[in-house]
Amino acid sequence: MTLPRRLPLRLAWPALGAAALVLGAASRPAADDPWWSPGEGRVFPATLDYPNAHGVMRTLLSGGPLPTRGHPFFEPIGTNGRACVTCHQPADGMSLAASTAAARWELTGGRDPLFAAIDGSNCPTLPQGERASHSLLLERGLFRIQRPWPVREWQGRPVTPDFTLEVVRDPNGCNSGPRYGPAAGNVSVYRRPRPVSNFKYLLAVGFAYDPKQGIALPRDPRSGQMQSGNLMADNRAGSLFEQMADAATSHLQLMGRLTPQQEARILDFEMRLHTAQQISHAGGPLDTLGAEGGPAKLRDSQPGALGSIGTPVWSEFAAWEKIPAAEAAKLSPEQLAFRQSVARGAQVFRNKTFLITDSSGINAPVGFGNPVRNSCVFCHNMSQMGNDVAPGQVDLGTTTLPFADPWPDLPLFRITCRGKPHPFYGRVFYTYDPGFALTTGRCADAGKITLQSMRGLAARAPYFSNGLASDLRGIVDYYERRYSIGYTEQEKQDLVNLMSVL
Amino acid sequence: MKSLTLALALLAPLSAEAAETGRLVRFVSCPVYRDADSGKKSGCWLADARDSGERFDVSLSPYKPDWNRAVLVEGRTTGQPATPCGSPVLDPVRTSVLDEPCQRHMLPAEGFPGRRFVLPPRNLAPLSVPRKPVEGPFGPRTFALFFEFDRAFVVYQYSDFLLDQAAAWLAAARPKRVVVTGFAATAPETVSGRLLAERPEVAQERAAITAESLHRLLPELVIETRTETAATPTDLPDADGLPGQSQRRVEIRAEF
């Protein structure tokens, strides 16, 4: 097997402790530092590999290398010294791992712009020099997201929310006081950065309808094209343009607006990126012996296909279901076992069914019934990506009681539906993050979070919108708790191994 | 074994069953989920007509029950074997979820296989599949789509398909304008001892969501919405011969 040129040096990294890692980063020439600082002017290569705990993540930039000097994704164009790349790091699958945030804190004594008071701390009102004031970012990789409340408009139409929002608990101070909280016209929730890559899939429109809302997809006022509805946890942005405007004023504290040139350059960069795990520590290169792991397959496939009627989801690893003896002999026993486990994991993902219950977006109002028997692939149904072909707003319970884990350090809201009760939670219920309901103003949408892509997982723990799962096993454990699936230990490990190679 | 004898017992009086095939039943009760497992979406929905004591297999509804809520069942009896779920099959059938709470109840499979999922005939092809061009001549024409009791939700793999058929035709026909009429079955009817009537507002909600979808699909279309309450049954084919279903509809009329 031929390893990428710069690999051996990097592969040694995960073995080093966090302290050594940041020290190493400081003494290493900038061009080799996994941390991309704003405005450093590196060239973004056509192929960029970084190690992670499970192997090597690869990001491909179609159209060749990009000098980042002066590029609005990489320059600190706002007022707080951050760039987009600050929170969307190539080494972290174009998201940001909580461990990376913690390492930055150690290295910079908390002075990196990453920790800007606005959203890199639990609340700007807290003493910013103290580590504890940034605990949500350092421990769970969460940023503060402030949404206006009440919702006044959605998809160009005026909205009056059909529920009230009361603050039950405000451990960080950003949902109470003179400037923060529903009484002050806003709500703060805490979320993980979503990966900035593979957007042709997240923007793909497979069907003209949103089956979960029972309506045709909205059109982008700018392009006239239909919108996929698959951006942001709460889908507050229908397009990458809307998203970057939101990001620039919030995360970057840009005072004005992005210029049309800046918008075009950010969009161009975003659309050229494809990211996936390329090499597995345990299994070796992911595109060998007939397997099609890695980002090249993503780059070269047509987006937006429904796995159930076309290329099955994660069939990239189907060839490893039956590795011919002659080929198997060339692998170490561990590599062979791991590859077989990945192939089984893909089958478990598609074929092991369980009863999906009380999850709005699926069990209501679509017509599937409550409960409905299905597998992971029911919701994660897009070929090559595992996001939802239809707009993916589903309430898995990750942010809403009783299904979410108890978390004293997150704010807790009480929702009271004014009209019809929520189909599963009733009239009054409790949530850390109402999700999609903060965008639509509808009680029935509370707790719905847009499905992410399943790519690049190996480099961007923790998982789910609020970092509920600290590692890949934590994802499987959550589903097991939530739906009493009854996975065997082997099946759990197979799913973990599958997710580690995406 | 148990399931086999049961199934045979149910199969035996086929002729008697056949005699009353097509009998219309309409009742409210609490649904029961039978955890039959032949893969995805294969579970069984059962519901009891309390006045007659009959238990029916209502799984073939395009919109399925919620085990926490009462359900309005409307269907026709068939001679189909009870093999999949253990009860006589209603087909066509509709199960509208009502607000009234129910004790949730799940039966084990007890040897019943349920039904292996097959795509319903009314399903949308992905946009990537080239469509057959719609052929003229084009003149005044009315399309209809159908709803769950008292709801304005355009049901997946039923009404979305009907809406899409209408949209494809309208795109080719380019009518002068389109009149979207939302109907509501507001005249109270007694079903299982309850007075059931749709809210008058649901007529408007149905018209509005249909018009909004048409507007998104065909931004150029000139659309007018109307409402009609006290809707009466019609024999529109896509209501599948169920009078209650035929009342809860939207009509899309193209005018030239």
Side-chain angles (χ1 to χ4, degrees), chain A residues 364-450:
Chain A
V366 196
F368 293 130
N370 182 36
V372 60
R373 178 170 285 285
N374 222 308
S375 65
C376 303
V377 86
F378 190 28
C379 302
H380 298 276
N381 50 43
M382 192 188 286
S383 306
Q384 291 98 25
M385 274 289 271
N387 62 308
D388 196 344
V389 172
Q393 286 77 38
V394 173
D395 172 24
L396 205 57
T398 43
T399 68
T400 302
L401 302 184
F403 304 117
D405 294 339
W407 263 349
D409 53 353
L410 286 181
L412 187 67
F413 304 98
R414 176 169 42 238
I415 289 190
T416 306
C417 306
R418 282 203 276 239
K420 270 204 171 194
H422 183 281
F424 306 120
Y425 295 124
R427 188 166 300 282
V428 180
F429 55 99
Y430 297 84
T431 182
Y432 302 127
D433 183 350
F436 192 38
L438 290 176
T439 301
T440 66
R442 293 189 308 220
C443 197
D445 293 328
K448 288 182 185 170
I449 299 288
T450 314

Side-chain angles (χ1 to χ4, degrees), chain A residues 127-460:
Chain A
Q128 292 298 308
E130 289 175 21
R131 202 175 191 283
S133 304
H134 305 269
S135 60
L136 290 172
L137 173 53
L138 295 170
E139 287 156 23
R140 278 212 297 277
L142 300 176
F143 290 93
R144 186 176 70 92
I145 306 286
Q146 183 173 315
R147 300 290 325 270
W149 183 258
V151 182
R152 294 224 158 73
E153 196 196 275
W154 181 47
Q155 293 180 336
R157 301 231 162 156
V159 165
T160 310
D162 67 355
F163 64 96
T164 59
L165 199 63
E166 294 161 275
V167 180
V168 178
R169 184 173 83 217
D170 183 22
N172 310 306
C174 256
N175 282 296
S176 55
R179 293 188 49 202
Y180 296 103
N186 60 71
V187 172
S188 286
V189 293
Y190 296 84
R191 295 187 185 146
R192 299 275 301 123
R194 298 166 74 91
V196 170
S197 197
N198 307 324
F199 278 122
K200 85 175 170 195
Y201 294 89
L202 292 169
L203 299 177
V205 172
F207 296 84
Y209 299 85
D210 178 347
K212 301 184 181 76
Q213 310 273 341
I215 194 165
L217 294 177
R219 286 186 190 270
D220 185 344
R222 206 159 152 153
S223 67
Q225 297 299 306
M226 283 189 153
Q227 296 179 327
S228 68
N230 273 326
L231 297 177
M232 310 293 265
D234 52 17
N235 194 222
R236 65 186 176 280
S239 70
L240 289 174
F241 286 124
E242 288 176 32
Q243 193 287 327
M244 64 180 86
D246 175 291
T249 43
S250 62
H251 305 309
L252 307 185
Q253 295 179 281
L254 177 74
M255 289 309 164
R257 300 172 59 156
L258 293 169
T259 65
Q261 289 87 338
Q262 287 174 321
E263 289 180 335
R265 293 182 75 189
I266 292 175
L267 183 73
D268 165 74
F269 173 67
E270 289 178 333
M271 294 307 295
R272 287 164 62 192
L273 293 173
H274 291 96
T275 302
Q277 192 81 334
Q278 179 68 28
I279 297 171
S280 158
H281 280 326
L286 296 167
D287 55 357
T288 55
L289 293 191
E292 300 173 296
K297 169 81 177 177
L298 282 175
R299 181 196 57 202
D300 300 337
S301 300
Q302 279 301 316
L306 199 54
S308 59
I309 54 174
T311 310
V313 178
W314 311 142
S315 57
E316 284 83 350
F317 302 101
W320 289 355
E321 284 166 23
K322 293 193 191 76
I323 299 177
E327 299 291 349
K330 296 183 204 156
L331 298 171
S332 73
E334 293 76 22
Q335 278 187 332
L336 178 62
F338 183 86
R339 289 180 177 210
Q340 289 165 337
S341 169
V342 166
R344 281 195 306 271
Q347 291 173 313
V348 171
F349 193 87
R350 292 193 298 266
N351 301 337
K352 169 95 179 193
T353 62
F354 46 91
L355 292 184
I356 298 168
T357 54
D358 300 342
S359 294
S360 62
I362 291 293
N363 300 112
V366 196
F368 293 130
N370 182 36
V372 60
R373 178 170 285 285
N374 222 308
S375 65
C376 303
V377 86
F378 190 28
C379 302
H380 298 276
N381 50 43
M382 192 188 286
S383 306
Q384 291 98 25
M385 274 289 271
N387 62 308
D388 196 344
V389 172
Q393 286 77 38
V394 173
D395 172 24
L396 205 57
T398 43
T399 68
T400 302
L401 302 184
F403 304 117
D405 294 339
W407 263 349
D409 53 353
L410 286 181
L412 187 67
F413 304 98
R414 176 169 42 238
I415 289 190
T416 306
C417 306
R418 282 203 276 239
K420 270 204 171 194
H422 183 281
F424 306 120
Y425 295 124
R427 188 166 300 282
V428 180
F429 55 99
Y430 297 84
T431 182
Y432 302 127
D433 183 350
F436 192 38
L438 290 176
T439 301
T440 66
R442 293 189 308 220
C443 197
D445 293 328
K448 288 182 185 170
I449 299 288
T450 314
L451 274 89
Q452 307 85 342
S453 99
M454 286 188 62
R455 290 296 188 161
L457 290 168
R460 55 180 177 88

Side-chain angles (χ1 to χ4, degrees), chain A residues 155 157 206-207 209 211-217 219 355 358 365 367-371 373-374 420 423-424, chain B residues 33 35 37 40-41 45 64-69 99 104 106 124 126-127 153-154 156 164 212-213 216-217:
Chain A
Q155 293 180 336
R157 301 231 162 156
F207 296 84
Y209 299 85
K212 301 184 181 76
Q213 310 273 341
I215 194 165
L217 294 177
R219 286 186 190 270
L355 292 184
D358 300 342
F368 293 130
N370 182 36
R373 178 170 285 285
N374 222 308
K420 270 204 171 194
F424 306 120
Chain B
Y33 183 76
D35 191 16
D37 181 2
K40 65 175 187 174
K41 300 183 188 169
W45 285 104
K64 302 197 193 314
D66 175 345
W67 62 4
N68 300 311
R69 314 277 203 90
D99 290 339
R104 74 159 65 171
M106 177 161 75
L124 291 174
L127 293 171
F153 186 82
V154 176
Y156 179 59
D164 197 61
E212 179 63 23
S213 273
R216 290 176 178 189
L217 293 164

